[in-house]
Amino acid sequence: MSTFGTLFRVTTFGESHCASVGAIIDGCPPGLPLVAQDVQTQLSRRRPGQSNLTTPVRVTGTAVSQRRDEKDLVQLQSGIEHDITLGTPIGLLVRNEDQRPHDYSETDLYPRPSHADWTYLEKYGVKASSGGGRSSARETIGRVAAGAIAEKYLKLAYGIEVVAFVSSVGKVHLPSIVGPPSQVPNDDDDTVEDVLSPEFVALLHTVTRAKVDSHPTRCPHLETAEHMTKRILRAKDASDSIGGTITCVIRGVPPGLGEPVFDKLEAKLAHAMLSIPATKGFEIGSGFRGTQVPGSKHNDAFAVKPDGTMGTKTNWSGGIQGGISNGEDIYFRVAFKSPATISQAQETAQYNGTPGTLSARGRHDPCVVPRAVPIVEAMASLVIMDQVLIQNARKTAASLLPPITTLPPTMIKPPTHHDHAVEDKPTV
Ligand SMILES: Cc1cc2nc3c(=O)[nH]c(=O)nc-3n(C[C@H](O)[C@H](O)[C@H](O)COP(=O)(O)O)c2cc1C
């Protein structure tokens, strides 16, 4: 469906070439200071035409190239007065200014291979006339707009920061993620650094959006970013496309978020991330490579931190244990496939089964990851926001009861540690 979240509920609307796209948020706390620019900053990081790496180029029958010129200016429709949220539904609207229905004439005949044309038609029996309709990345405008509002609340109420960055394009990886290649697989080698290097862990602690945005690829490592640029341009020049991965870190999350067993925090994050168009994979913490390390090295031992809070010495868990945040940085990686629409000729079949050649025209991204960075941040913010509201509801309900005096002490959280858990934060 088009609604995400339990207490912070976001419904997105709109297709690639309809009048407008956007979102309605129900459940935003009242009293949040909010102006359009809070939302616009993230929308502008998502919009098409930011650089020659992300710009969908429109190639018409007369070979004229033209960018899809969308400014993606948001209008705050409701739920806010005098720059303060009212607690009522917030309407966010962005007009599709450069919509061109029937832009993709070949795709009237051909479902694009690995796009959503065929499955949408099979499911609904009708489909939008062009541009992928609801499966278009323009749908993500509503998510990014709503995510920016969630993010503002999380920042003000908890100091939570969400930063995503491009960690690979094709076979070009941030070196600190992949580590030195092993020439010969060695069963005796249990080196932890090959899984997640100290440089990568440091990057997670320090990376900022300003650093991420200092290169058009949104990779915070300049040398790797230059290699990525070449790889994307090679795909573009060949009328082809290429995939990549995005890593996201969420800093400052209090312990206690996540709803076991089916709504574990990592399950919610995976759900959110895999709902983004073109995603093909998700890993939390040390992920798939963590399986190469024995438990003796992979376990995150507990320790009291300098500020008196309980924490872990390492963080291979990615900030989540038992589906519940443990107060460490949450980090995860999302895989995005090579975009389906390419102008290279492809042998395929028409809707009616006739074999033929499709050379898709229109405006397409050669690689989606630079533009998908704010989308990943938005979905992460929506998940954390929803879980904060849920945990606060539980804590508030429990706090109204008389203190527990009848249970053995081992069953109750010891009061000795300075705890920066949710209950210490203001509930709204
Ligand atoms: C930021 C962004 C931009 C995208 N741009 C394109 C594009 O230009 N061409 C294309 O074929 N797919 C593009 N996609 C992906 C499609 O929306 C998606 O692959 C398609 O709907 C099929 O869905 P699926 O890949 O999730 O199965 C983009 C995705 C994102 C996140």
Side-chain angles (χ1 to χ4, degrees):
M1 304 301 280
S2 290
T3 300
F4 186 81
T6 303
L7 294 186
F8 193 86
R9 286 177 75 77
V10 176
T11 302
T12 71
F13 63 86
E15 289 92 38
S16 175
H17 292 277
C18 69
S20 63
V21 293
I24 294 175
I25 304 172
D26 205 356
C28 183
L32 176 69
L34 194 75
V35 294
Q37 192 55 44
D38 293 322
V39 175
Q40 194 58 52
T41 303
Q42 284 294 77
L43 284 180
S44 298
R45 294 176 82 219
R46 194 222 69 97
R47 71 184 276 264
Q50 295 173 60
S51 77
N52 63 340
L53 300 181
T54 61
T55 303
V57 176
R58 179 170 182 262
V59 182
T60 68
T62 53
V64 176
S65 292
Q66 186 177 326
R67 293 165 184 219
R68 178 161 185 168
D69 187 18
E70 293 284 2
K71 297 190 179 51
D72 288 352
L73 293 178
V74 70
Q75 296 169 17
L76 306 181
Q77 300 283 294
S78 63
I80 301 158
E81 272 187 35
H82 300 292
D83 301 338
I84 297 288
T85 59
L86 300 172
T88 53
I90 299 174
L92 301 155
L93 187 135
V94 169
R95 297 210 179 277
N96 277 334
E97 291 177 344
D98 193 19
Q99 78 269 32
R100 299 165 197 263
H102 308 293
D103 200 16
Y104 311 140
S105 54
E106 297 91 338
T107 53
D108 289 342
L109 292 176
Y110 290 91
R112 284 168 294 173
S114 288
H115 212 290
D117 307 325
W118 194 82
T119 49
Y120 265 61
L121 194 56
E122 282 293 305
K123 181 174 181 65
Y124 295 105
V126 290
K127 69 174 182 65
S129 60
S130 60
R134 187 84 179 131
S135 74
S136 160
R138 285 201 72 68
E139 179 275 331
T140 64
I141 284 176
R143 304 166 184 238
V144 171
I149 295 176
E151 184 185 325
K152 179 144 194 205
Y153 176 87
L154 294 172
K155 179 83 183 164
L156 286 177
Y158 292 94
I160 291 173
E161 291 179 324
V162 183
V163 183
F165 54 90
V166 171
S167 40
S168 71
V169 167
K171 293 177 183 168
V172 183
H173 290 255
L174 266 175
S176 53
I177 288 185
V178 171
S182 301
Q183 295 302 320
V184 182
N186 181 359
D187 273 351
D188 296 332
D189 180 10
D190 292 336
T191 315
V192 171
E193 281 73 17
D194 278 354
V195 177
L196 289 172
S197 70
E199 293 83 5
F200 178 67
V201 174
L203 181 70
L204 292 178
H205 286 316
T206 56
V207 68
T208 61
R209 284 200 188 157
K211 179 69 182 165
V212 171
D213 284 356
S214 65
H215 194 278
T217 56
R218 296 214 160 93
C219 171
H221 185 266
L222 185 60
E223 198 186 331
T224 311
E226 289 299 311
H227 286 302
M228 289 175 175
T229 302
K230 285 191 193 135
R231 183 62 193 91
I232 296 173
L233 292 178
R234 181 155 73 81
K236 189 176 168 184
D237 291 346
S239 302
D240 211 336
S241 64
I242 190 71
T245 64
I246 291 177
T247 296
C248 181
V249 59
I250 314 173
R251 296 186 289 246
V253 179
L257 303 189
E259 298 296 311
V261 290
F262 294 112
D263 290 343
K264 289 179 175 178
L265 190 53
E266 69 266 51
K268 282 290 181 190
L269 286 167
H271 176 178
M273 297 306 147
L274 293 176
S275 75
I276 301 172
T279 49
K280 284 290 172 200
F282 175 86
E283 68 177 6
I284 181 90
S286 59
F288 292 100
R289 281 160 302 151
T291 61
Q292 301 165 20
V293 183
S296 56
K297 292 189 177 168
H298 192 268
N299 286 351
D300 296 318
F302 289 101
V304 175
K305 299 197 164 182
D307 66 357
T309 61
M310 187 75 159
T312 61
K313 292 181 187 169
T314 53
N315 186 18
W316 310 119
S317 305
I320 302 174
Q321 290 163 338
I324 301 169
S325 63
N326 67 359
E328 302 296 328
D329 292 350
I330 293 173
Y331 62 94
F332 56 85
R333 202 152 68 111
V334 189
F336 288 79
K337 73 182 187 187
S338 310
T341 316
I342 52 175
S343 46
Q344 214 177 83
Q346 297 175 87
E347 295 301 315
T348 180
Q350 298 182 2
Y351 283 102
N352 65 10
T354 309
T357 304
L358 169 65
S359 302
R361 290 188 278 171
R363 299 161 288 187
H364 313 295
D365 288 288
C367 180
V368 305
V369 283
R371 287 183 59 209
V373 161
I375 306 172
V376 168
E377 290 168 345
M379 293 310 295
S381 299
L382 293 182
V383 169
I384 300 298
M385 181 73 195
D386 203 31
Q387 299 306 312
V388 159
L389 295 186
I390 292 170
Q391 179 67 349
N392 274 335
R394 174 185 286 109
K395 289 287 179 189
T396 304
S399 73
L400 300 175
L401 297 171
I404 303 170
T405 54
T406 52
L407 289 177
T410 51
M411 286 182 64
I412 303 173
K413 184 176 149 185
T416 47
H417 295 294
H418 169 73
D419 199 329
H420 60 127
V422 168
E423 67 264 34
D424 288 346
K425 303 285 183 181
T427 47
V428 181

